[in-house]
Amino acid sequence: MVARCRERRDQTVATVEVTEAYWVSRITAIAKDEDKVAFADVFRHFAPRVKGFLIKSGADDSLAEECMQDVMATLWQKAHMYDPARASVATWIFTIARNRKIDLIRKYARPEPEDLPWGPEAEPDQADVMALQQDSARLADAIRQLPEKQRRLIERAYFGDLTHSEIAAETGLPLGTIKSRIRLALERLRHAMS
């Protein structure tokens, strides 16, 4: 009985390894040869899964469809950037999907020009202006006190208006490292401002 369980487990592991090797070969073919058949295989397998993942994570059907199409186009264009040593093909694709969804939500959350107020606004109260200036000075000081690696990422993310994915592409750092450093920096800034 134990031997049969081990045998089944070994067969399952071998199937997973063969499947992953297959997907790696498909991505490699796309990257090196712009192989449309390989892309069709990847699209057929992953597109419905990506769309389902996006819908389950709260995207409506049209946003999920748009995002899935964008993910597949990105996969075609950036297949050369896939590194099997860093992630499985599925992890890489679903990470692209998650980041695209965040980017699209941010894009749609921005106010349209007609939603912006026009015309003169009331003069702000001088006490509010002073408080804002003091808070701004404290924040600038807190940012200067951050460790260099965290400060540079905060500046790129919030002052350079770059997404985490864009920062990763620009710096060559893993996305998880960028997110961790930004999270730690924000925690330090919250503590300094409280």
Side-chain angles (χ1 to χ4, degrees):
M1 178 76 163
V2 172
R4 271 189 275 167
C5 288
R6 281 190 190 141
E7 184 178 319
R8 270 193 232 136
R9 183 180 56 96
D10 292 344
Q11 288 173 346
T12 303
V13 169
T15 303
V16 169
E17 289 172 359
V18 168
T19 302
E20 182 58 22
Y22 175 76
W23 293 122
V24 169
S25 73
R26 301 287 76 198
I27 297 296
T28 303
I30 295 167
K32 290 185 178 179
D33 305 323
E34 294 185 354
D35 187 330
K36 292 177 181 164
V37 173
F39 180 73
D41 288 347
V42 172
F43 190 96
R44 205 173 10 262
H45 181 77
F46 284 102
R49 288 167 173 80
V50 165
K51 185 175 178 182
F53 163 76
L54 294 167
I55 290 171
K56 285 180 184 173
S57 67
D60 64 26
D61 194 53
S62 63
L63 179 65
E65 180 70 26
E66 180 182 350
C67 191
M68 179 272 296
Q69 293 290 336
D70 193 32
V71 168
M72 292 297 126
T74 300
L75 185 146
W76 174 260
Q77 295 164 350
K78 297 190 177 182
H80 65 280
M81 295 177 74
Y82 172 67
D83 180 1
R86 292 179 68 182
S88 70
V89 170
T91 300
W92 183 64
I93 291 171
F94 283 98
T95 300
I96 294 170
R98 183 185 151 280
N99 293 337
R100 282 292 178 257
K101 178 187 161 210
I102 291 168
D103 292 344
L104 285 174
I105 288 172
R106 284 180 184 161
K107 175 183 164 188
Y108 290 129
R110 291 186 180 145
E112 293 295 319
E114 58 268 6
D115 295 339
L116 298 174
W118 295 100
E121 293 184 18
E123 277 290 316
D125 183 35
Q126 288 302 314
D128 291 340
V129 170
M130 290 296 291
L132 182 61
Q133 288 174 342
Q134 290 171 349
D135 286 347
S136 296
R138 283 181 38 220
L139 179 59
D141 186 50
I143 290 172
R144 277 192 297 275
Q145 306 231 351
L146 287 173
E148 176 71 18
K149 291 177 181 177
Q150 291 176 5
R151 185 175 46 77
R152 284 195 320 235
L153 293 178
I154 287 289
E155 288 170 350
R156 284 183 172 146
Y158 292 96
F159 302 119
D161 201 27
L162 298 175
T163 66
H164 293 172
S165 299
E166 291 169 337
I167 295 170
E170 188 179 286
T171 63
L173 291 171
L175 190 58
T177 301
I178 290 167
K179 290 180 179 185
S180 295
R181 287 182 184 169
I182 289 175
R183 193 170 29 253
L184 288 170
L186 290 175
E187 192 59 39
R188 286 182 180 196
L189 292 175
R190 274 189 211 101
H191 180 71
M193 295 301 288
S194 62

